[in-house]
Amino acid sequence: MNGPAMEPRLLDRSDTRVKHSSGIGDTVSAFFDRVKAGDLGSLPVIVGLIVIWSVFTALNPLFVTPNNLVNLLFDCSTVGVISLGIVCVLMLGEIDLSVGSMSGVGSALIGVLWVNQGLPLPIAIFLALSTGAMVGALYALLRTKLGMPSFVSTLAGLLALLGLQLYMLGSTGSINLPYGSTMVNFGQLLMMPAWLSHTVALLPGVAILVMGLRTRAQRQAANLSAASISGLAFRAIVITLAFEAAVFYLNLGRGVPWMFGLFALLVVVMNYVFTRTKWGRSVKAVGGNAEAARRAGISVTFIYLTSFALCSLLAALGGVLSSARLASASQQAGTGDVNLNAIAAAVIGGTSLFGGRGSAWSALLGIIVIQSISNGLTLLNMSSSLRYMITGCVLAIAVIVDSLARQSRASHGRA
């Protein structure tokens, strides 16, 4: 009796095996299906970048000259690192309003410890980053143990850290870093050798192909649908050609800044952490539904602690890079629009304000959008008031797109 009854089940299992993608056409079709279902990814910000660059190039061709783009990359690096930390807390559905002040404190610590106290630069940087991590951990404890909303705790931190920055810098208000030092040269002058920049530009395509093939093999072994080899190769080739063309064009000018290379490396590392590690998956799970994540065995407290600590650490690192870029630690570091630009970059780049969805690439793409607007308007000799208004409009559009995409995903059962 049992033998014949089992036969149909085995046949059913083989019949329900999902077919593997067969080529580039299926890859493109799957992409459009995801877009229709509200899974837009980085598409809106890439389209926005194309529009912004086209407009500014038409108004002033100097915008796309190699040396101007090099300056643009320098400007992206400092705030971009801060924005990368913001992605960590936004994916939890939280916020950190003190990242600008934390970057100012990081900058001030470099001036006080390295220049005034004479500590070795690596130790000064380590202490600045450690201070950032401890501040972030404090925010997390206030959130998880006392239930204090992150909006309130980080707003209080913004004021406290701003006061600490002013206190450390004293009556002079600024500390000049040694001009010609390795740190200042790193922030203003140092470029990658051409051969190295071209080699680095190859790595994303290689990584996409290697990791894609590994994932494909794992899914095939589990009898699940898998991307085609031709589709993976197509993606890898397109991305490699795009990066190599960008590097070639930048090398017609000064080249690729080491500072931007550091920022890009951090983006790649954080992207791997978000997508390929247990911690990254846990961050998205907690951001999607903290109670469900807790019931699934995820330590919500640990995720909050590490995410907020990492956010403030990266804010302090952004302050260190800012001091290298400006060759000084001053009361203006971390003030003005640094705070809002860091948050806006993450949102404009595609990280959801609702939590649970985001990418390290959001920080990179978002800050390029913001700095492109600033750089383009500067070349046109227009008032900074326009920059604030345009950036505000772009931010509002990004949130509207995110909200509509979220509704579309919910209607398609992909929320």
Side-chain angles (χ1 to χ4, degrees):
M1 294 289 293
N2 291 338
M6 289 295 292
E7 243 180 274
R9 292 183 183 178
L10 292 174
L11 289 173
D12 286 344
R13 171 178 284 185
S14 64
D15 288 341
T16 57
R17 175 177 296 206
V18 182
K19 293 183 179 180
H20 305 305
S21 298
S22 59
I24 297 175
D26 289 334
T27 302
V28 175
S29 177
F31 169 76
F32 282 111
D33 288 341
R34 290 197 303 271
V35 171
K36 291 178 182 178
D39 190 2
L40 301 179
S42 300
L43 181 62
V45 69
I46 291 175
V47 172
L49 264 179
I50 293 173
V51 172
I52 291 170
W53 281 36
S54 299
V55 170
F56 282 129
T57 301
L59 295 175
N60 190 337
L62 290 177
F63 178 80
V64 290
T65 57
N67 284 333
N68 184 62
L69 295 182
V70 170
N71 291 331
L72 177 64
L73 296 184
F74 266 120
D75 294 336
C76 287
S77 303
T78 54
V79 182
V81 169
I82 302 173
S83 182
L84 188 57
I86 286 291
V87 172
C88 297
V89 294
L90 283 183
M91 287 177 64
L92 293 176
E94 303 289 342
I95 192 65
D96 187 344
L97 298 176
S98 70
V99 287
S101 296
M102 188 66 247
S103 71
V105 169
S107 174
L109 283 171
I110 292 298
V112 171
L113 297 177
W114 181 38
V115 179
N116 289 359
Q117 301 299 322
L119 289 179
L121 179 59
I123 294 178
I125 294 175
F126 174 78
L127 291 175
L129 300 185
S130 298
T131 301
M134 288 188 291
V135 170
L138 176 60
Y139 293 150
L141 292 176
L142 291 174
R143 177 69 178 86
T144 57
K145 301 301 182 182
L146 300 180
M148 181 181 292
S150 58
F151 179 90
V152 177
S153 61
T154 58
L155 182 59
L158 181 154
L159 298 173
L161 291 171
L162 180 58
L164 178 61
Q165 177 187 359
L166 297 177
Y167 176 79
M168 287 191 297
L169 293 175
S171 58
T172 58
S174 66
I175 301 172
N176 293 326
L177 305 188
Y179 194 77
S181 62
T182 302
M183 182 172 178
V184 173
N185 286 339
F186 179 81
Q188 297 182 348
L189 300 173
L190 292 182
M191 304 290 167
M192 290 185 183
W195 66 268
L196 179 59
S197 59
H198 280 289
T199 302
V200 171
L202 287 172
L203 297 181
V206 173
I208 287 174
L209 186 59
V210 171
M211 297 176 71
L213 289 175
R214 187 176 67 177
T215 301
R216 182 177 185 273
Q218 292 173 345
R219 292 183 66 84
Q220 283 183 325
N223 200 28
L224 297 173
S225 62
S228 66
I229 294 179
S230 59
L232 289 172
F234 176 74
R235 287 180 57 201
I237 291 172
V238 169
I239 290 176
T240 299
L241 290 177
F243 283 176
E244 287 291 346
V247 167
F248 173 79
Y249 189 68
L250 291 172
N251 282 327
L252 294 178
R254 296 167 60 192
V256 180
W258 270 109
M259 180 180 280
F260 184 78
L262 173 62
F263 172 41
L265 175 63
L266 289 173
V267 170
V268 171
V269 170
M270 289 304 300
N271 182 69
Y272 178 85
V273 170
F274 283 141
T275 59
R276 299 285 177 171
T277 66
K278 180 181 177 181
W279 181 85
R281 292 188 290 270
S282 297
V283 168
K284 292 183 178 181
V286 172
N289 190 319
E291 179 60 23
R294 185 187 66 80
R295 291 176 180 270
I298 295 174
S299 175
V300 176
T301 300
F302 175 76
I303 296 299
Y304 269 85
L305 188 69
T306 50
S307 296
F308 272 95
L310 186 57
C311 176
S312 290
L313 184 151
L314 288 172
L317 177 58
V320 172
L321 296 177
S322 175
S323 65
R325 178 69 175 145
L326 302 175
S328 69
S330 69
Q331 294 178 350
Q332 282 70 43
T335 59
D337 57 359
V338 172
N339 204 33
L340 296 180
N341 279 348
I343 298 172
V347 177
I348 291 172
T351 298
S352 176
L353 285 170
F354 303 101
R357 299 182 70 87
S359 166
W361 298 105
S362 301
L364 176 63
L365 295 172
I367 196 60
I368 291 178
V369 169
I370 290 177
Q371 292 299 339
S372 294
I373 294 172
S374 176
N375 184 282
L377 292 176
T378 300
L379 289 177
L380 295 174
N381 199 27
M382 290 186 175
S383 170
S384 60
S385 59
L386 285 176
R387 175 168 61 88
Y388 288 116
M389 289 187 284
I390 293 174
T391 303
C393 291
V394 172
L395 175 60
I397 293 172
V399 174
I400 291 171
V401 170
D402 177 40
S403 181
L404 294 176
R406 186 167 176 262
Q407 295 174 16
S408 178
R409 290 194 300 270
S411 65
H412 286 81
R414 303 182 64 171

Short mmCIF file of all heavy atoms in Angstrom, two decimals, residues 168-203:
data_model
loop_
_atom_site.label_atom_id
_atom_site.label_comp_id
_atom_site.label_asym_id
_atom_site.label_seq_id
_atom_site.Cartn_x
_atom_site.Cartn_y
_atom_site.Cartn_z
N MET A 168 36.69 71.42 23.49
CA MET A 168 38.02 70.89 23.15
C MET A 168 38.83 71.87 22.32
O MET A 168 40.05 71.97 22.48
CB MET A 168 37.87 69.56 22.41
CG MET A 168 37.45 68.39 23.28
SD MET A 168 37.61 66.81 22.44
CE MET A 168 36.44 67.01 21.11
N LEU A 169 38.18 72.58 21.43
CA LEU A 169 38.91 73.50 20.54
C LEU A 169 39.28 74.80 21.24
O LEU A 169 40.17 75.53 20.79
CB LEU A 169 38.07 73.79 19.30
CG LEU A 169 37.86 72.60 18.36
CD1 LEU A 169 36.91 72.96 17.23
CD2 LEU A 169 39.20 72.13 17.78
N GLY A 170 38.62 75.10 22.34
CA GLY A 170 38.98 76.26 23.13
C GLY A 170 38.66 77.58 22.47
O GLY A 170 37.86 77.67 21.52
N SER A 171 39.30 78.63 22.97
CA SER A 171 38.99 79.99 22.51
C SER A 171 39.46 80.26 21.09
O SER A 171 38.91 81.11 20.39
CB SER A 171 39.63 81.01 23.46
OG SER A 171 41.04 80.81 23.53
N THR A 172 40.48 79.53 20.65
CA THR A 172 40.98 79.76 19.28
C THR A 172 39.98 79.29 18.23
O THR A 172 39.90 79.86 17.15
CB THR A 172 42.32 79.03 19.06
OG1 THR A 172 42.13 77.62 19.28
CG2 THR A 172 43.38 79.56 20.02
N GLY A 173 39.25 78.25 18.54
CA GLY A 173 38.20 77.78 17.64
C GLY A 173 38.67 76.89 16.52
O GLY A 173 37.85 76.31 15.81
N SER A 174 39.97 76.74 16.34
CA SER A 174 40.48 75.87 15.27
C SER A 174 41.91 75.46 15.57
O SER A 174 42.64 76.16 16.28
CB SER A 174 40.41 76.56 13.91
OG SER A 174 41.29 77.67 13.87
N ILE A 175 42.29 74.32 15.02
CA ILE A 175 43.65 73.81 15.14
C ILE A 175 44.11 73.40 13.75
O ILE A 175 43.48 72.54 13.12
CB ILE A 175 43.72 72.60 16.10
CG1 ILE A 175 43.23 72.99 17.49
CG2 ILE A 175 45.14 72.06 16.17
CD1 ILE A 175 43.09 71.80 18.44
N ASN A 176 45.15 74.01 13.26
CA ASN A 176 45.67 73.69 11.93
C ASN A 176 46.50 72.42 11.97
O ASN A 176 47.34 72.24 12.87
CB ASN A 176 46.52 74.85 11.38
CG ASN A 176 45.69 76.08 11.11
OD1 ASN A 176 44.53 75.99 10.72
ND2 ASN A 176 46.27 77.25 11.32
N LEU A 177 46.26 71.53 11.02
CA LEU A 177 47.05 70.32 10.90
C LEU A 177 48.31 70.62 10.10
O LEU A 177 48.32 71.53 9.27
CB LEU A 177 46.25 69.22 10.22
CG LEU A 177 44.90 68.85 10.85
CD1 LEU A 177 44.32 67.62 10.16
CD2 LEU A 177 45.03 68.61 12.34
N PRO A 178 49.40 69.86 10.36
CA PRO A 178 50.67 70.12 9.65
C PRO A 178 50.50 70.00 8.13
O PRO A 178 50.20 68.93 7.62
CB PRO A 178 51.61 69.04 10.19
CG PRO A 178 51.02 68.65 11.50
CD PRO A 178 49.53 68.78 11.35
N TYR A 179 50.67 71.13 7.46
CA TYR A 179 50.54 71.10 6.00
C TYR A 179 51.72 70.34 5.41
O TYR A 179 52.87 70.53 5.78
CB TYR A 179 50.51 72.52 5.43
CG TYR A 179 50.05 72.57 4.01
CD1 TYR A 179 48.71 72.44 3.69
CD2 TYR A 179 50.96 72.71 2.96
CE1 TYR A 179 48.27 72.47 2.37
CE2 TYR A 179 50.54 72.74 1.64
CZ TYR A 179 49.20 72.62 1.35
OH TYR A 179 48.78 72.63 0.05
N GLY A 180 51.42 69.46 4.47
CA GLY A 180 52.45 68.62 3.90
C GLY A 180 52.57 67.28 4.59
O GLY A 180 53.34 66.41 4.14
N SER A 181 51.83 67.09 5.68
CA SER A 181 51.84 65.79 6.35
C SER A 181 51.12 64.75 5.50
O SER A 181 50.34 65.09 4.59
CB SER A 181 51.16 65.90 7.72
OG SER A 181 49.80 66.27 7.58
N THR A 182 51.37 63.49 5.79
CA THR A 182 50.75 62.41 5.02
C THR A 182 49.23 62.48 5.09
O THR A 182 48.53 62.26 4.09
CB THR A 182 51.22 61.05 5.55
OG1 THR A 182 52.65 60.98 5.46
CG2 THR A 182 50.61 59.92 4.74
N MET A 183 48.71 62.84 6.26
CA MET A 183 47.26 62.89 6.42
C MET A 183 46.64 63.98 5.56
O MET A 183 45.62 63.76 4.89
CB MET A 183 46.91 63.12 7.88
CG MET A 183 45.41 63.14 8.15
SD MET A 183 45.03 63.16 9.90
CE MET A 183 43.24 63.23 9.84
N VAL A 184 47.23 65.16 5.56
CA VAL A 184 46.70 66.26 4.75
C VAL A 184 46.86 65.95 3.27
O VAL A 184 45.95 66.22 2.47
CB VAL A 184 47.40 67.59 5.11
CG1 VAL A 184 46.96 68.71 4.16
CG2 VAL A 184 47.07 67.98 6.55
N ASN A 185 47.99 65.38 2.90
CA ASN A 185 48.17 64.99 1.49
C ASN A 185 47.14 63.95 1.07
O ASN A 185 46.64 63.97 -0.06
CB ASN A 185 49.58 64.43 1.28
CG ASN A 185 50.65 65.52 1.30
OD1 ASN A 185 50.35 66.71 1.09
ND2 ASN A 185 51.88 65.15 1.58
N PHE A 186 46.81 63.04 1.99
CA PHE A 186 45.79 62.02 1.70
C PHE A 186 44.44 62.67 1.43
O PHE A 186 43.70 62.23 0.55
CB PHE A 186 45.68 61.07 2.89
CG PHE A 186 44.65 59.99 2.72
CD1 PHE A 186 44.94 58.85 1.98
CD2 PHE A 186 43.39 60.11 3.29
CE1 PHE A 186 43.99 57.85 1.82
CE2 PHE A 186 42.44 59.12 3.13
CZ PHE A 186 42.74 57.98 2.39
N GLY A 187 44.13 63.73 2.15
CA GLY A 187 42.85 64.39 1.99
C GLY A 187 42.78 65.38 0.85
O GLY A 187 41.67 65.80 0.48
N GLN A 188 43.93 65.75 0.27
CA GLN A 188 43.92 66.80 -0.74
C GLN A 188 44.62 66.44 -2.05
O GLN A 188 44.23 66.94 -3.10
CB GLN A 188 44.58 68.06 -0.18
CG GLN A 188 43.85 68.67 1.01
CD GLN A 188 44.52 69.94 1.50
OE1 GLN A 188 45.65 70.27 1.11
NE2 GLN A 188 43.84 70.68 2.36
N LEU A 189 45.63 65.58 -1.99
CA LEU A 189 46.49 65.44 -3.16
C LEU A 189 46.69 64.01 -3.66
O LEU A 189 46.83 63.81 -4.87
CB LEU A 189 47.88 66.03 -2.85
CG LEU A 189 47.94 67.51 -2.48
CD1 LEU A 189 49.35 67.89 -2.04
CD2 LEU A 189 47.48 68.38 -3.64
N LEU A 190 46.74 63.04 -2.77
CA LEU A 190 47.18 61.70 -3.16
C LEU A 190 46.19 61.01 -4.09
O LEU A 190 44.99 60.98 -3.82
CB LEU A 190 47.41 60.83 -1.93
CG LEU A 190 48.59 61.24 -1.03
CD1 LEU A 190 48.73 60.26 0.12
CD2 LEU A 190 49.89 61.29 -1.84
N MET A 191 46.71 60.49 -5.19
CA MET A 191 45.91 59.77 -6.19
C MET A 191 46.44 58.34 -6.37
O MET A 191 47.62 58.07 -6.18
CB MET A 191 45.99 60.48 -7.55
CG MET A 191 45.56 61.93 -7.51
SD MET A 191 43.79 62.11 -7.24
CE MET A 191 43.68 63.86 -6.86
N MET A 192 45.55 57.45 -6.74
CA MET A 192 45.96 56.08 -7.04
C MET A 192 46.79 56.04 -8.33
O MET A 192 46.50 56.79 -9.26
CB MET A 192 44.73 55.19 -7.26
CG MET A 192 43.92 54.90 -6.04
SD MET A 192 42.59 53.72 -6.47
CE MET A 192 41.75 53.62 -4.89
N PRO A 193 47.79 55.18 -8.38
CA PRO A 193 48.46 54.96 -9.66
C PRO A 193 47.45 54.44 -10.70
O PRO A 193 46.50 53.74 -10.34
CB PRO A 193 49.52 53.90 -9.34
CG PRO A 193 49.71 53.97 -7.86
CD PRO A 193 48.40 54.40 -7.29
N ALA A 194 47.66 54.78 -11.95
CA ALA A 194 46.69 54.41 -12.99
C ALA A 194 46.50 52.90 -13.06
O ALA A 194 45.36 52.41 -13.18
CB ALA A 194 47.15 54.95 -14.34
N TRP A 195 47.60 52.15 -12.97
CA TRP A 195 47.48 50.69 -13.08
C TRP A 195 46.66 50.11 -11.93
O TRP A 195 45.89 49.17 -12.13
CB TRP A 195 48.86 50.03 -13.10
CG TRP A 195 49.65 50.18 -11.83
CD1 TRP A 195 50.53 51.16 -11.50
CD2 TRP A 195 49.58 49.30 -10.68
NE1 TRP A 195 51.03 50.97 -10.24
CE2 TRP A 195 50.47 49.83 -9.72
CE3 TRP A 195 48.87 48.14 -10.39
CZ2 TRP A 195 50.66 49.24 -8.46
CZ3 TRP A 195 49.04 47.55 -9.14
CH2 TRP A 195 49.94 48.09 -8.21
N LEU A 196 46.83 50.70 -10.74
CA LEU A 196 46.09 50.20 -9.58
C LEU A 196 44.60 50.52 -9.70
O LEU A 196 43.75 49.67 -9.39
CB LEU A 196 46.66 50.80 -8.30
CG LEU A 196 45.98 50.38 -7.00
CD1 LEU A 196 46.05 48.86 -6.83
CD2 LEU A 196 46.61 51.08 -5.81
N SER A 197 44.29 51.73 -10.14
CA SER A 197 42.88 52.10 -10.27
C SER A 197 42.17 51.23 -11.30
O SER A 197 41.01 50.84 -11.11
CB SER A 197 42.75 53.58 -10.63
OG SER A 197 43.40 53.87 -11.85
N HIS A 198 42.85 50.90 -12.40
CA HIS A 198 42.24 50.02 -13.40
C HIS A 198 42.07 48.59 -12.86
O HIS A 198 41.08 47.92 -13.16
CB HIS A 198 43.09 49.98 -14.67
CG HIS A 198 42.88 51.16 -15.57
ND1 HIS A 198 41.72 51.34 -16.30
CD2 HIS A 198 43.67 52.22 -15.86
CE1 HIS A 198 41.81 52.46 -17.00
NE2 HIS A 198 42.98 53.02 -16.75
N THR A 199 43.04 48.15 -12.05
CA THR A 199 42.92 46.82 -11.44
C THR A 199 41.74 46.76 -10.48
O THR A 199 40.97 45.80 -10.47
CB THR A 199 44.23 46.46 -10.70
OG1 THR A 199 45.33 46.51 -11.62
CG2 THR A 199 44.14 45.07 -10.09
N VAL A 200 41.62 47.81 -9.66
CA VAL A 200 40.51 47.85 -8.70
C VAL A 200 39.17 47.89 -9.43
O VAL A 200 38.19 47.28 -8.97
CB VAL A 200 40.66 49.09 -7.79
CG1 VAL A 200 39.41 49.28 -6.93
CG2 VAL A 200 41.89 48.94 -6.90
N ALA A 201 39.11 48.58 -10.57
CA ALA A 201 37.86 48.66 -11.32
C ALA A 201 37.42 47.31 -11.87
O ALA A 201 36.24 47.11 -12.18
CB ALA A 201 38.02 49.66 -12.48
N LEU A 202 38.34 46.37 -11.97
CA LEU A 202 38.00 45.03 -12.44
C LEU A 202 37.32 44.20 -11.35
O LEU A 202 36.54 43.29 -11.65
CB LEU A 202 39.26 44.28 -12.90
CG LEU A 202 39.90 44.70 -14.23
CD1 LEU A 202 41.22 43.96 -14.39
CD2 LEU A 202 38.98 44.39 -15.39
N LEU A 203 37.61 44.52 -10.09
CA LEU A 203 37.20 43.65 -8.99
C LEU A 203 35.68 43.51 -8.84
O LEU A 203 35.20 42.40 -8.58
CB LEU A 203 37.82 44.16 -7.68
CG LEU A 203 39.35 44.13 -7.62
CD1 LEU A 203 39.84 44.62 -6.27
CD2 LEU A 203 39.87 42.72 -7.91
#
